[in-house]
Amino acid sequence: MISLSNLVKTFNTRDGKVTAVDEINLTIDEGEIFGIIGYSGAGKSTLIRLLNMLETPSSGEVTIAGKTMNKLSSKKLRAARQEIGMIFQHFNLLWSRTVKENISFPLEIKGVPKTERDERVEELIRLVGLEGRGGSYPSQLSGGQKQRVGIARALANNPKVLLCDEATSALDPKTTDSILELLVDINKKLGLTVVLITHEMHVIRKICHRVAVMEQGKIVEQGNVLEVFKHPKQEMTKEFVKQVTEPEETEEAIRHLLEEEDIGHVLQLTFVGREAEKPLITNIIRTFDVTVNILQGKISQTQNGPYGSLFINVDGEASELERVIAYIREQKVQVEVIHP
């Protein structure tokens, strides 16, 4: 569906040439939700703007649905852009227009007859859950409702691709989750290819099938979300994964526990996929002559299955502890002794 080949974007600044996107090669499959994550300045916003030619590549190619975007004439590019919807961090709504009029705007530009426009707008209002708000103005809406208008507007022309530029960064956690659920629903109902950029691993974890990690204009790691969670290779990726699997409060709690003199052996277990559903701790207690105390744990769901970490305190003879660790590894669960 989307193919990026040796893609480069440079900007000339007073301080010299800046390479925002540096030799990126990437393929995104039709119908998948693909996440691009990175810190500010990584180049991810520039990359997503290159997909619909809001930025022109310095070199390389952008191919979407068989069309090389940066080789199209102006007329053909305008037509190709109608197959690409985009939603923004700060909504970019027309404040003097109602919800219906905002959603209708792309159809007006396209020259769609009014009766057909009105039918399409009502259909989209139902799809994004804004029934009864069609006559409201953006100033009368919550942040989540504004983003729903932005999503409906982006879908007006029945695009094949939906680009999301930090679409949930301006929203509170609960509203963020509702918007992410809406994007998953749209992806399933319409078979839409969704590309989103974010600096939050929670967003990637919740809805993406695959992810690419950007740093200094380059993609430093990519893959199936569950595999990236399981085996993060780059330090930056490990930091992002830690946002979800070891939140700050977990780190603090474990640090305090390790300061206790009689804490004994502390193991960190990492579960991926079906292993997260096994009664591992129960089996350890029944099988081995040890006592087990659960210190802290969290299981998260990804689009590809569950992922989680568990910190446990195990008390017993050293030989028995070795048997426990061997057993855990036999169950395809990662284990690390973090104390002593």
Side-chain angles (χ1 to χ4, degrees):
M1 167 54 79
I2 299 173
S3 175
L4 309 180
S5 177
N6 301 318
L7 194 62
V8 175
K9 178 62 181 179
T10 59
F11 295 96
N12 292 314
T13 72
R14 289 181 179 179
D15 298 319
K17 186 179 285 187
V18 173
T19 303
V21 171
D22 192 358
E23 290 288 338
I24 282 184
N25 293 282
L26 186 66
T27 301
I28 298 171
D29 298 330
E30 184 175 0
E32 79 171 325
I33 303 177
F34 192 94
I36 299 168
I37 191 168
Y39 292 122
S40 295
K44 57 191 188 298
S45 289
T46 302
L47 178 60
I48 205 166
R49 288 168 64 84
L50 287 166
L51 296 184
N52 59 1
M53 295 294 111
L54 289 177
E55 296 286 355
T56 305
S58 301
S59 62
E61 293 184 350
V62 176
T63 303
I64 298 179
K67 299 170 186 172
T68 304
M69 301 292 286
N70 49 315
K71 291 185 178 179
L72 297 177
S73 65
S74 298
K75 183 179 179 181
K76 289 183 178 179
L77 179 58
R78 283 195 298 272
R81 277 179 174 154
Q82 291 180 358
E83 297 185 340
I84 304 171
M86 190 164 186
I87 57 176
F88 304 87
Q89 178 179 358
H90 297 296
F91 322 125
N92 288 18
L93 302 180
L94 299 168
W95 296 89
S96 61
R97 284 177 165 248
T98 64
V99 167
K100 284 184 178 181
E101 289 167 345
N102 264 283
I103 298 171
S104 179
F105 188 58
L107 301 172
E108 292 174 32
I109 293 173
K110 193 178 179 181
V112 175
K114 187 176 186 310
T115 303
E116 191 178 330
R117 283 203 313 265
D118 290 346
E119 287 178 6
R120 179 63 176 154
V121 168
E122 289 300 328
E123 179 186 339
L124 289 166
I125 283 176
R126 289 193 298 273
L127 179 66
V128 301
L130 285 174
E131 294 94 333
R133 302 309 304 265
S136 301
Y137 288 89
S139 61
Q140 299 169 317
L141 303 177
S142 67
Q145 289 170 331
K146 289 172 190 171
Q147 196 56 285
R148 287 172 185 269
V149 177
I151 293 170
R153 182 185 58 187
L155 297 175
N157 283 318
N158 289 303
K160 295 178 181 176
V161 176
L162 181 62
L163 307 179
C164 307
D165 186 359
E166 295 277 11
T168 59
S169 294
L171 305 175
D172 62 78
K174 187 175 180 181
T175 307
T176 290
D177 284 346
S178 71
I179 293 298
L180 294 178
E181 286 163 9
L182 175 60
L183 290 174
V184 170
D185 189 48
I186 288 168
N187 167 257
K188 289 177 178 175
K189 283 180 179 176
L190 306 180
L192 211 59
T193 303
V194 180
V195 183
L196 63 85
I197 64 167
T198 184
H199 61 274
E200 300 171 296
M201 200 62 178
H202 164 74
V203 173
I204 299 295
R205 187 270 300 172
K206 193 168 181 68
I207 72 169
C208 294
H209 301 108
R210 290 194 298 141
V211 61
V213 182
M214 280 194 76
E215 184 177 16
Q216 296 181 342
K218 295 181 179 291
I219 289 179
V220 296
E221 189 164 350
Q222 63 174 299
N224 174 290
V225 168
L226 201 56
E227 283 303 309
V228 169
F229 268 60
K230 186 177 180 181
H231 299 299
K233 298 180 178 65
Q234 302 295 322
E235 281 305 313
M236 173 172 285
T237 312
K238 291 174 184 178
E239 286 179 26
F240 280 125
V241 170
K242 204 172 179 182
Q243 287 179 9
V244 176
T245 58
E246 296 176 45
E248 200 172 316
E249 60 271 19
T250 297
E251 230 178 87
E252 189 177 344
I254 296 301
R255 188 168 60 249
H256 284 309
L257 284 166
L258 295 181
E259 289 171 359
E260 297 180 16
E261 290 183 7
D262 59 346
I263 187 65
H265 294 90
V266 177
L267 310 182
Q268 180 180 0
L269 312 183
T270 302
F271 303 84
V272 179
R274 296 181 66 181
E275 283 74 33
E277 300 165 9
K278 293 178 180 178
L280 182 69
I281 303 302
T282 301
N283 291 343
I284 290 173
I285 293 169
R286 287 175 176 172
T287 308
F288 302 96
D289 186 20
V290 294
T291 58
V292 178
N293 181 28
I294 296 174
L295 304 176
Q296 190 77 266
K298 181 175 182 180
I299 300 290
S300 300
Q301 288 295 326
T302 75
Q303 288 286 72
N304 308 105
Y307 176 95
S309 60
L310 185 66
F311 293 86
I312 61 173
N313 174 213
V314 182
D315 228 355
E317 296 293 329
S319 58
E320 199 70 353
L321 179 65
E322 287 178 10
R323 291 181 62 214
V324 168
I325 292 172
Y327 171 77
I328 292 170
R329 288 179 175 146
E330 285 171 9
Q331 306 310 305
K332 310 298 182 187
V333 174
Q334 296 177 53
V335 58
E336 180 183 357
V337 179
I338 62 172
H339 187 270

